[in-house]
Amino acid sequence: QRTPELGVRMALGADGGRILGLVVRSVLGQVLAGIAIGLPLAFFATRALGGLLFEIAPHDPATFALVPLVLLLAGLAAALAPARRAMRVDPVAALRWE
């Protein structure tokens, strides 16, 4: 969806590293926003779900540290494929995109 924008940026002189950084920052910003919203909600939701948990404390610090890390790594992995593809966009072809 952002091919024309990335094509214009590359035509104006942006190198592959800047394009990679732009796409990865965009995706990771969304992931971090989701983590920032989800962690407090999960913290308070564990009180209601405490009876359903098996062999784990409702406010287990390891779980609250590991899950955001896994989500962050999954977001980074999901961002790398489109970011690498965006680095190889031909500016002329991107400007003709539609």
Side-chain angles (χ1 to χ4, degrees):
Q1 292 177 347
R2 295 178 65 183
T3 301
E5 173 200 349
L6 298 176
V8 169
R9 289 179 185 271
M10 291 185 77
L12 292 175
D15 60 343
R18 287 186 187 252
I19 298 296
L20 177 73
L22 177 73
V23 174
V24 169
R25 270 192 311 271
S26 173
V27 170
L28 288 184
Q30 294 174 6
V31 171
L32 290 174
I35 289 172
I37 293 169
L39 267 179
L41 290 176
F43 185 80
F44 291 114
T46 55
R47 287 184 186 220
L49 299 174
L52 300 174
L53 299 174
F54 181 71
E55 292 188 12
I56 188 168
H59 296 121
D60 182 39
T63 302
F64 275 90
L66 187 62
V67 169
L69 179 65
V70 169
L71 290 174
L72 191 63
L73 291 175
L76 180 62
L80 285 179
R84 289 179 50 105
R85 189 172 57 241
M87 286 174 38
R88 294 188 297 262
V89 168
D90 177 33
V92 175
L95 293 173
R96 291 185 185 159
W97 184 272
E98 292 235 0

